[in-house]
Amino acid sequence: MSALLRLTLFTKSNCGLCVSAKEALTRVQAKVSFDLDQVDIYAPGQEAAQKYMFDVPVVELNGQVAMMHKIDEPKLIDILRKEQGKGDSA
């Protein structure tokens, strides 16, 4: 059995797109199982602010950017299913 995929959602406060992204990820999660970590880029100790300050929300899969700004749900589902398939064949 393959390990559960892990996504990281980089957000910031007062970000309407971030709220929409979280809602989209919840809908995607109902179709494809994954663990979700949320990171406020301006939280103390975070280095993501420099990297993503103009791009939130950002979704990373295995440390690589999978989506940014707006979540394309069908595309993300496809990406996740392909990634799950890689784990099954290993």
Side-chain angles (χ1 to χ4, degrees):
M1 184 172 163
S2 61
L4 200 58
L5 298 173
R6 179 172 298 279
L7 296 181
T8 304
L9 173 62
F10 292 91
T11 68
K12 64 181 181 179
S13 61
N14 300 317
C15 171
L17 283 176
C18 298
V19 172
S20 296
K22 173 66 171 124
E23 291 168 353
L25 289 171
T26 299
R27 289 188 296 271
V28 169
Q29 203 169 30
K31 296 176 179 159
V32 181
S33 294
F34 60 86
D35 283 332
L36 179 63
D37 295 322
Q38 292 185 75
V39 176
D40 181 334
I41 64 169
Y42 293 116
Q46 270 305 317
E47 297 177 8
Q50 281 296 107
K51 189 174 179 183
Y52 293 135
M53 73 167 83
F54 300 114
D55 292 316
V56 292
V58 175
V59 176
E60 284 188 355
L61 171 62
N62 298 330
Q64 300 295 317
V65 174
M67 299 265 150
M68 107 179 3
H69 305 144
K70 186 173 185 310
I71 306 302
D72 180 333
E73 293 178 45
K75 183 175 180 182
L76 183 58
I77 289 168
D78 187 49
I79 290 168
L80 294 172
R81 287 186 175 150
K82 285 180 181 173
E83 194 65 27
Q84 281 180 329
K86 286 180 188 177
D88 292 341
S89 63

